Amino acid sequence: MNDFSQHPTSPNPAPQPPPSPRKTRQRKALIAVAIAFGALLAIGTIGAIVDGGEEDDGKTGERVAAPKTRTPEPSETPSPDAAPTTPEPAAEDTPPSEGPTPEATRENTGEEKSALLPDFVGKQLQAAQDAAQEAGFYNLTSHDVTGENRFQVYDRNWHICSQTPDPGAHAPDSQVDFGVVKNNETCP
């Protein structure tokens, strides 16, 4: 005679007391912090991928290309029979030997330094920003000339329709403003 009601096959477990409210709050806070950290990490990674290595210049809030670092070339090891020589600097590192530069002369006379600003109209925005920085101009801004006030989040997607100031000699701390449209659009 099998009477299951009198002889249970497994004993009933003892009920567990509910966790204290303090431990529950601590767990919830820990989970919230972990989720927030994960979200920030994901946003930062996506932002780095989209921006393509750009940084905030800290002055105008504009995004500028990160400075490029120059890696030294490995030097050749001389053979034991060769006479010791000193490595010659690269052509771009060699200063002119004709005398003081116009900028150095201006510094001594109290005149303002100037640099040559190229014509960037028709160029891609990112390439123009890189070239402007190489020419000594770091105060760079850009704006949408269509009047839609779109932000230039990914500078490689925009090309230049106008620039202020015009090409020529200007103080390196001059603000250079590029009027831009998206690559698939024509200048107004």
Side-chain angles (χ1 to χ4, degrees):
M1 164 169 180
N2 289 336
D3 188 5
F4 291 107
S5 62
Q6 292 177 355
H7 300 77
T9 56
S10 64
N12 287 336
Q16 295 290 329
S20 71
R22 182 176 181 191
K23 285 187 178 181
T24 304
R25 277 185 263 134
Q26 288 175 341
R27 281 190 186 137
K28 287 181 179 180
L30 183 61
I31 291 170
V33 168
I35 290 171
F37 179 74
L40 289 174
L41 183 62
I43 290 170
T45 302
I46 292 169
I49 292 170
V50 170
D51 284 343
E54 296 176 351
E55 298 176 351
D56 187 341
D57 70 356
K59 297 176 189 172
T60 63
E62 292 292 320
R63 304 296 285 180
V64 295
K68 296 178 182 172
T69 57
R70 186 172 167 264
T71 56
E73 296 178 11
S75 60
E76 295 180 17
T77 55
S79 65
D81 299 334
T85 59
T86 58
E88 293 189 25
E92 62 193 38
D93 295 336
T94 306
S97 58
E98 297 91 42
T101 62
E103 288 82 10
T105 306
R106 283 190 203 102
E107 286 178 10
N108 295 338
T109 61
E111 293 180 34
E112 188 175 330
K113 293 176 19 173
S114 67
L116 184 62
L117 180 67
D119 184 8
F120 294 114
V121 174
K123 307 274 190 222
Q124 178 196 57
L125 178 57
Q126 182 64 59
Q129 290 172 337
D130 293 342
Q133 289 176 352
E134 288 177 13
F137 295 90
Y138 294 95
N139 189 0
L140 307 174
T141 64
S142 60
H143 68 278
D144 181 5
V145 296
T146 64
E148 296 179 33
N149 295 326
R150 299 173 291 181
F151 292 107
Q152 295 76 54
V153 176
Y154 189 60
D155 295 338
R156 287 176 173 79
N157 287 343
W158 298 80
H159 68 272
I160 298 174
C161 296
S162 63
Q163 77 180 50
T164 304
D166 292 328
H170 300 281
D173 60 349
S174 300
Q175 183 179 44
V176 179
D177 183 31
F178 297 117
V180 297
V181 295
K182 288 202 168 206
N183 286 340
N184 59 349
E185 300 172 346
T186 58
C187 293

